[in-house]
Amino acid sequence: MKGNNWLTYCLMLWIAISFGQTKSLPLADYLISIQEQFDVKFSYAVDDVANINIPQPERELNLQQTLQHLNANTLLNFKTIDSRYITVSVLEKTISICGTLVSEETNEALIGASVIIDNTYQGTSTNYNGEFNLTEIPLKATLSISYLGYQTLKISAKTLFNNQQSCPTITLTEDNQMLTEVLITKYLTTGLQKFIDGSIVLNTEEFGNLPGLIEPDILQSIQALPGVESVNESIANINVRGGTNDQNLILWDGIKMYHSGHFFGLISAYNPNLTNKVIVTKNGTSSQYSDGVSSTISMYTKDKIEDTFSGGAGVNLISADAFLEIPVSKKLALHISGRRSITDVISTPTYDNYFERSFQDSDININSNIENSTTSSDFVFYDFTAKLLFDLNKKHRFRANIIGINNNLDYAETITDSDNTTTSKTSNLAQDNLGYGGHWKAQWTKNFSTDVSGNYSRYTVDASDLRVQTEQRLTQANEVLETSIQVKTNYSFTPFLIFLNGYQFNEIGILNETTVTAPSYSRTKKDVLLNHALFTQIEYHKDNTFLRIGLRGNYFQKFDKLLIEPRITARQKLSNQWALKLEGEFKNQSATQIVDFQDDFLGVENRRWILADNNTRPISTSKQASFGIDYSKHNLNIDVNGFYKTVDGITASNQGFYNNFQYLSATGSYTAKGIEFLANKTTDKFSTWLSYTYSINNYTFESFTPSVFPNNVDIRHSISLAINYSIIKNLELSLGGIWHSGQPYTKPLEANPTIEINNNYYVNYDQPNIQNVDDFLRLDASLGYTYDFNNTTNISLKAGVRNLSNEDNVINRYYQVDPENSNNTIEVNNLSLGLTPNVSLRVNF
């Protein structure tokens, strides 16, 4: 025993000499000395005590005092079991951390870097010395540290606590791919960010709850933004600052998409699980983009090769989906996803409500009310994506993509005549959008990079409608084929000045075909248009100033027509709280949608794509300017913007008129002007926002009388209010409501509601769009809970209800001649979605 005491004293003396200058010692070594000194045994996991240093204790401490010293100076719990054994466990507690962020290349402090706690609302930014401090951080938390032009770093909070005595220096490595700086990290809810160029970014992987939604539905989610809404609550009809849906440029990894919805507009057709970033730009668009005179919606899939296999699967009352991220090697990976409706297997209240809303004004609904007739229908949708990622080395990356979207409706109609003879006929409607894309990204030097991409998109809608009453078969087809090649170069003169140049070639062909039997009629029209474009852009960002100026030249070979389009985005910070911003752009669009007849394509999808002919259908052009002011302090963000937009070259046929102009051909314009207001307050526990948009939107058609009248989507007032609250850890509640003015419509003349022309009766309309349907009001709610099995696997359960109060909102109103009395009309009202619940169960691993 004396020998053991001698060894203990020697060990204590060695520890004292070795660490006398730093006055700290390794915990693992100290525990060994305590065991020898007091003849006790510690029970602990080696990893729990590894790399932990503690302040050197006084030499005269007894065992109890020693354990008190350990409990006070570590994040471990030392508990005596009996006179000999002591357990050591990790405490579930919060800590305070700090650090100093510097560049690995220059060793200079990084000012304004984002330090965010994963899966929470909590975070901060570095000060002018690159320093940051956070308090009450969970011990097991992981931090994401990001800075413009640098690779994002993931680091354990525990690691920073262990070194807190000196506030450790953390280095970030430069990233060759320059990204626009994040201005607001949490915009409305988690996963929504605002960039300094004014664009809004939706990060689906970190997206929080929005009222009524059970998943981050991409095109539903962006309607939370001021100036973005749908007058008929359909994502197939998103109106940005008064524009029509076809005026939005929708890109999926650079592939132009001509179709965006399942259930004919009630569900986004883009699976959010691998589409991890969506950028929405309403004005000041980068010169590398063309088309879309109203907005640009760019979707990006995950672009990093991970070391581990991961994925997920989920099911709700409409569909089931799954996705996988498969690392084949360190340089090669495959990402795949798929989703399919389950409503042909099981019928749910959600499906019934969606079906009723989608087909209420179609042949399906109308024919079901015919005497002695029965109808049945089968609707199925699916979508899929795949992406191949190959990193040749750090400087050369190759990507290949494919996306497919499909909606298919089979409709059967049976009529029994007076002789009890039964006649059965079937009809079909099929929509497909298939896209392919490839990218080669090369970093030739530290300052110079290139991006070469090629894309192909094919959209088709085919309908075959056999009408039992007339024995007439109507066959319709609309097909769009587009091929695009783009070459871009990026050169950084300095970290503050970036120069972009490029060339883009587009070939687009559109086919429209209609065939009718009894009487026989056939029409086929195909148009092709080639477009060459050069674009340039310079971006400056330093201190409080951001400026991006671009220019794009478009040459349409068929028309020998050149369009020059300047673009600008500027932001000047006046103080820590206030900033001014200015945006402006010229844009063009050659492909638009028209409505020939309201019963086209079974009356379900009555819009078809057509191509400009530079005569009766000119190329649409837009000019837009906006000016605004930002205020930000203590997580309160206030954003006010005034905008003015004019779009020339629209046609009467692509507006879907329900008035005397319905069958007239004319070219005109519309002008939208207004103010957007957004107030957003966030804390660790909740986020709440209020948005308001006031706008005036008028048509101008010189050949019509009157020549100026309200736009079909003229919504004067629109308000959105919501709150997202974390009740407890991993349990979120979201409540919200939308109110806006009713959509304009045209009434028949009261004294003479119908008019006879060539032995046919038509509705005799009054002045166009001077009436409005009742105001629209919808209340929504969502509740979501996530259970973490471990660091990589979780299961989430979410429930959502749309239209909680079951409001009968009229979203469209028009009139028909009464078939029983040709001197009268019938009012037809299309209603919004009623009270509709949905539930989802999802597993991610």
Side-chain angles (χ1 to χ4, degrees):
M1 192 69 183
K2 292 182 180 179
N4 287 338
N5 288 336
W6 181 82
L7 288 174
T8 299
Y9 295 146
C10 287
L11 181 59
M12 294 287 289
L13 180 61
W14 177 80
I15 291 174
I17 295 173
S18 300
F19 298 95
Q21 294 179 343
T22 61
K23 295 184 179 180
S24 65
L25 67 160
L27 176 60
D29 292 342
Y30 186 51
L31 293 181
I32 294 174
S33 69
I34 296 173
Q35 290 181 138
E36 295 291 341
Q37 181 181 358
F38 296 106
D39 192 22
V40 294
K41 290 290 184 179
F42 288 99
S43 175
Y44 57 85
V46 175
D47 290 343
D48 289 343
V49 301
N51 303 318
I52 296 179
N53 292 336
I54 63 169
Q56 182 176 321
E58 298 178 5
R59 298 180 184 179
E60 296 81 9
L61 298 181
N62 58 31
L63 178 59
Q64 183 178 357
Q65 293 171 331
T66 301
L67 295 181
Q68 290 176 350
H69 176 81
L70 292 174
N71 280 322
N73 290 279
T74 69
L75 294 173
L76 302 173
N77 182 29
F78 292 82
K79 184 177 180 181
T80 303
I81 301 300
D82 54 32
S83 59
R84 179 169 173 77
Y85 290 97
I86 302 169
T87 61
V88 183
S89 59
V90 178
L91 286 174
E92 293 292 338
K93 60 188 291 187
T94 59
I95 59 176
S96 297
I97 60 175
C98 64
T100 302
L101 204 61
V102 299
S103 168
E104 183 181 44
E105 287 74 15
T106 64
N107 205 37
E108 295 180 353
L110 298 179
I111 305 169
S114 297
V115 183
I116 305 299
I117 303 170
D118 285 359
N119 303 316
T120 73
Y121 302 138
Q122 197 170 358
T124 187
S125 58
T126 55
N127 61 19
Y128 286 97
N129 297 318
E131 301 168 345
F132 68 90
N133 291 274
L134 285 169
T135 59
E136 297 185 358
I137 306 304
L139 174 63
K140 296 182 180 180
T142 300
L143 303 179
S144 292
I145 304 177
S146 58
Y147 188 72
L148 176 65
Y150 288 80
Q151 298 176 10
T152 298
L153 176 67
K154 298 279 189 177
I155 189 170
S156 168
K158 179 181 176 181
T159 302
L160 298 180
F161 174 83
N162 291 339
N163 296 280
Q164 189 184 359
Q165 294 178 8
S166 58
C167 276
T169 298
I170 305 167
T171 59
L172 289 189
T173 304
E174 285 190 3
D175 190 351
N176 291 326
Q177 184 180 7
M178 298 297 290
L179 301 175
T180 305
E181 182 181 350
V182 176
L183 183 64
I184 300 175
T185 302
K186 181 182 174 185
Y187 191 71
L188 302 188
T189 185
T190 54
L192 269 176
Q193 299 175 329
K194 185 176 182 180
F195 280 1
I196 198 167
D197 65 354
S199 60
I200 307 299
V201 180
L202 187 156
N203 187 327
T204 58
E205 193 172 14
E206 300 177 1
F207 198 68
N209 282 356
L210 279 183
L213 300 184
I214 56 170
E215 61 181 18
D217 187 301
I218 293 167
L219 298 182
Q220 290 282 9
S221 301
I222 67 174
Q223 295 179 44
L225 306 174
V228 181
E229 58 191 327
S230 173
V231 295
N232 64 356
E233 69 174 5
S234 166
I235 54 91
N237 190 27
I238 292 179
N239 313 113
V240 180
R241 290 181 173 174
T244 53
N245 183 72
D246 61 318
Q247 294 173 353
N248 301 314
L249 172 64
I250 299 179
L251 300 172
W252 185 86
D253 267 348
I255 304 170
K256 184 175 179 180
M257 305 303 296
Y258 286 89
H259 180 58
S260 56
H262 290 313
F263 250 121
F264 304 99
L266 294 181
I267 304 172
S268 170
Y270 306 107
N271 194 317
N273 296 302
L274 291 177
T275 307
N276 72 325
K277 185 172 66 174
V278 184
I279 300 179
V280 181
T281 306
K282 294 184 285 187
N283 192 10
T285 313
S286 170
S287 63
Q288 63 184 298
Y289 299 113
S290 188
D291 282 340
V293 293
S294 274
S295 74
T296 300
I297 303 171
S298 299
M299 292 170 280
Y300 299 90
T301 58
K302 294 183 179 180
D303 201 48
K304 185 178 180 181
I305 298 177
E306 302 288 354
D307 297 331
T308 57
F309 174 84
S310 63
V315 63
N316 58 51
L317 298 183
I318 294 293
S319 62
D321 73 89
F323 74 97
L324 294 174
E325 299 179 43
I326 308 169
V328 181
S329 68
K330 291 184 178 180
K331 294 185 177 182
L332 184 67
L334 177 65
H335 296 173
I336 57 175
S337 73
R339 174 172 52 173
R340 187 189 185 278
S341 60
I342 61 172
T343 50
D344 54 334
V345 179
I346 181 174
S347 181
T348 66
T350 307
Y351 170 77
D352 293 338
N353 284 8
Y354 277 25
F355 192 91
E356 181 181 355
R357 162 65 180 83
S358 296
F359 304 121
Q360 62 180 303
D361 198 25
S362 67
D363 289 351
I364 295 173
N365 188 48
I366 294 172
N367 292 339
S368 65
N369 297 321
I370 297 177
E371 187 177 359
N372 298 324
S373 73
T374 59
T375 62
S376 63
S377 56
D378 182 23
F379 176 69
V380 175
F381 68 80
Y382 66 83
D383 58 67
F384 64 87
T385 69
K387 182 173 185 177
L388 188 67
L389 303 87
F390 174 61
D391 290 347
L392 179 63
N393 50 47
K394 291 184 177 180
K395 293 187 176 182
H396 294 273
R397 298 187 298 166
F398 297 88
R399 304 290 186 262
N401 302 76
I402 182 173
I403 181 172
I405 298 168
N406 176 271
N407 289 287
N408 190 82
L409 172 66
D410 291 317
Y411 166 63
E413 180 182 0
T414 302
I415 289 185
T416 304
D417 61 21
S418 58
D419 298 329
N420 290 325
T421 302
T422 300
T423 305
S424 298
K425 306 294 182 181
T426 60
S427 300
N428 173 265
L429 175 66
Q431 283 179 307
D432 289 280
N433 201 161
L434 185 65
Y436 303 92
H439 291 258
W440 169 32
K441 300 178 182 179
Q443 190 74 38
W444 301 101
T445 68
K446 181 179 179 180
N447 298 326
F448 180 71
S449 65
T450 59
D451 188 339
V452 180
S453 62
N455 302 294
Y456 170 82
S457 185
R458 178 177 181 265
Y459 167 73
T460 59
V461 54
D462 295 285
S464 177
D465 184 11
L466 181 57
R467 298 169 181 180
V468 176
Q469 303 95 317
T470 61
E471 290 292 329
Q472 181 190 70
R473 179 173 290 278
L474 171 65
T475 304
Q476 297 173 302
N478 181 213
E479 181 181 58
V480 182
L481 300 176
E482 178 170 352
T483 303
S484 174
I485 299 174
Q486 187 182 76
V487 180
K488 295 187 298 184
T489 65
N490 271 284
Y491 184 79
S492 301
F493 291 102
T494 70
F496 318 110
L497 191 63
I498 303 173
F499 193 35
L500 169 70
N501 292 283
Y503 164 79
Q504 184 173 0
F505 166 78
N506 277 81
E507 180 185 43
I508 180 171
I510 297 182
L511 168 72
N512 275 289
E513 186 176 64
T514 301
T515 303
V516 181
T517 62
S520 179
Y521 170 79
S522 180
R523 181 189 67 179
T524 301
K525 183 173 179 56
K526 184 175 183 180
D527 298 293
V528 179
L529 188 61
L530 304 181
N531 177 22
H532 303 267
L534 291 173
F535 55 88
T536 184
Q537 177 178 287
I538 192 162
E539 183 176 301
Y540 173 82
H541 179 212
K542 187 176 182 181
D543 299 331
N544 297 325
T545 302
F546 175 85
L547 178 63
R548 185 174 69 198
I549 300 176
L551 188 68
R552 184 182 180 96
N554 304 276
Y555 176 69
F556 296 91
Q557 187 172 319
K558 184 177 181 179
F559 310 138
D560 191 25
K561 186 180 183 70
L562 178 65
L563 294 177
I564 303 297
E565 299 173 344
R567 318 272 177 86
I568 185 172
T569 299
R571 186 178 190 274
Q572 179 62 49
K573 194 172 182 180
L574 304 178
S575 67
N576 290 333
Q577 291 81 39
W578 296 94
L580 298 177
K581 53 188 177 180
L582 173 69
E583 297 169 327
E585 66 179 23
F586 284 35
K587 294 181 77 177
N588 79 86
Q589 184 171 336
S590 57
T592 57
Q593 286 182 317
I594 65 167
V595 180
D596 278 349
F597 302 99
Q598 296 303 326
D599 59 353
D600 279 356
F601 300 106
L602 302 182
V604 176
E605 182 62 69
N606 55 18
R607 293 181 178 269
R608 63 175 74 206
W609 289 95
I610 61 167
L611 202 56
D613 62 6
N614 206 36
N615 185 14
T616 58
R617 301 190 304 271
I619 296 173
S620 299
T621 59
S622 69
K623 300 175 184 178
Q624 183 178 184
S626 59
F627 178 78
I629 187 167
D630 288 342
Y631 173 82
S632 180
K633 187 176 182 181
H634 299 316
N635 294 323
L636 171 64
N637 302 300
I638 297 177
D639 193 350
V640 182
N641 290 282
F643 66 90
Y644 182 91
K645 179 173 73 173
T646 178
V647 178
D648 293 311
I650 65 172
T651 62
S653 58
N654 69 5
Q655 299 305 304
F657 286 128
Y658 287 95
N659 52 35
N660 289 329
F661 308 144
Q662 185 170 347
Y663 303 110
L664 299 182
S665 296
T667 301
S669 64
Y670 75 83
T671 300
K673 52 188 176 182
I675 296 176
E676 299 168 350
F677 169 84
L678 174 68
N680 177 212
K681 173 66 176 179
T682 62
T683 69
D684 294 344
K685 288 290 185 180
F686 75 89
S687 174
T688 183
W689 65 90
L690 169 68
S691 69
Y692 169 71
T693 303
Y694 171 76
S695 65
I696 300 174
N697 191 351
N698 287 325
Y699 288 122
T700 300
F701 285 91
E702 296 296 343
S703 60
F704 290 168
T705 303
S707 58
V708 179
F709 54 95
N711 195 301
N712 290 341
V713 293
D714 177 36
I715 304 299
R716 294 294 171 97
H717 304 275
S718 179
I719 297 175
S720 174
L721 175 65
I723 182 170
N724 191 352
Y725 180 69
S726 294
I727 303 173
I728 58 174
K729 182 181 180 182
N730 295 339
L731 180 63
E732 280 189 298
L733 173 66
S734 187
L735 299 171
I738 297 173
W739 174 90
H740 64 68
S741 305
Q743 185 178 5
Y745 74 98
T746 306
K747 293 182 63 175
L749 286 170
E750 292 185 7
N752 189 21
T754 64
I755 186 172
E756 183 182 5
I757 302 176
N758 297 328
N759 296 323
N760 291 316
Y761 282 87
Y762 299 90
V763 178
N764 189 22
Y765 287 100
D766 201 345
Q767 296 292 308
N769 290 351
I770 60 173
Q771 306 290 332
N772 292 81
V773 300
D774 292 339
D775 296 345
F776 180 95
L777 174 64
R778 193 183 75 217
L779 303 177
D780 303 320
S782 294
L783 184 67
Y785 176 73
T786 301
Y787 177 76
D788 297 320
F789 287 101
N790 50 49
N791 292 334
T792 60
T793 305
N794 65 62
I795 182 171
S796 64
L797 178 64
K798 293 186 178 181
V801 180
R802 301 188 68 184
N803 197 357
L804 269 171
S805 57
N806 200 25
E807 298 287 335
D808 289 329
N809 293 304
V810 176
I811 54 178
N812 190 26
R813 176 175 292 164
Y814 64 96
Y815 294 83
Q816 296 176 336
V817 176
D818 187 346
E820 305 296 331
N821 184 354
S822 57
N823 293 319
N824 292 330
T825 59
I826 299 174
E827 181 181 278
V828 180
N829 290 317
N830 295 150
L831 301 180
S832 67
L833 195 66
L835 188 150
T836 304
N838 205 350
V839 179
S840 73
L841 178 66
R842 165 155 235 96
V843 177
N844 293 311
F845 54 87

